[in-house]
Amino acid sequence: MVSLTEERGNMTKKNVVVSDAKSGLNMAISVDVSKSSLFTTAAQKKPAGPGGFITISRKQLLQNLEINGGARVNSWVDSMRASSPTHIKSTPLSDDQNSWIDHHPSALDMFEQITNASKGKQIVMFLDYDGTLSPIVDDPDRAFMSDQMRATVRKLARNFPTAIVSGRCRDKVYGFVRLAELYYAGSHGMDIKGPSKGSKYKKGTQDILFQPANEFLPMIDEVYKSLVEKTKSTPGAKVENNKFCISVHFRCVDEKKWSELAEEVKSVLKEYPKLRLTQGRKVLEIRPTIKWDKGKALEFLLESLGYANCTDVFPVYIGDDRTDEDAFKVLRERGQGFGILVSKIPKDTNASYSLQEPSEVMDFLQRLVRWKQP
Ligand SMILES: [Mg+2]
């Protein structure tokens, strides 16, 4: 356990780098837009029809971003608009969607191949919360998971080390999940805590494992207050303080108010080059510009569990959002385990497999438990 503490100390020094103003707002927006879920394979080849994807090529967009700062903001607003609740609709599968599924087959269909690949290895489960374990609902405070899902995750955690990795404040996501035997990484992995009880996988005695962004707490508080004030005039906008980061939910914001909201958020963040802005699924995320994300959290957790340099570990990460891509990428780069994207529509992703919605996630987790304990 002494070695774990030492490793933690080293990690803090090695990984937590505060970048300069260059990595501030504008940079973050341009990166986000170029990777936005809007620009899927399907979007580039074929528009989904009225109310579907906006047809603009990635190349064209990138040119706009380089040439004109104004276009950057406009594109960002467009992409916000496109992911608004009224714009995401499920339509019958097109050829492009079928081709996407060929490349990211259903984890349920591929169940045997997946479990065969894990033979002789320790499966470690990483689960995003919103949109993965619970459906996306209008009020983020009411994103409850079903009792059936909770029972499933409880059984899962008895059979495999299991972590919840969420953009939400750790206490809040714990309030939804209410399982003490799990690992929790809140605030996009910036707040990591081990099981408080009842896990045979618990290592060490300390509960709080890692909080790399402590110095940002006063700044986050200040920005939270400004954002609450500034977004007051936008009906439906909801600002959530996630301790080490902030979410501005636009699940219920009218389409005509998008640009206004974007401008308000942007104007607040202009003063804070050490915070960056990214767009998730119906949410704007404000985070410290430290080099820490869900992928780093995944690596940290594997290390904490004692699998740092093991070849016989098989991490499985299930998530639905852009921020989960950092974790999918880490798994690809490590060549270990795999990522599963929860999505009904084709998206650019580093995940290997897909599941359509939380109910399919539950089916998959239940099959894993039955497979482990036949
Ligand atoms: Mg999510």
Side-chain angles (χ1 to χ4, degrees), residues 128 130-132 320-321 324:
D128 167 52
D130 288 88
T132 299
D320 73 319
D321 214 336
D324 298 311

Side-chain angles (χ1 to χ4, degrees), residues 146 197 212 217 225 272 276 278 366:
S146 67
K197 62 164 190 185
L217 284 177
K225 282 176 193 144
Y272 299 92
R276 64 177 159 146
T278 53
Q366 284 173 347

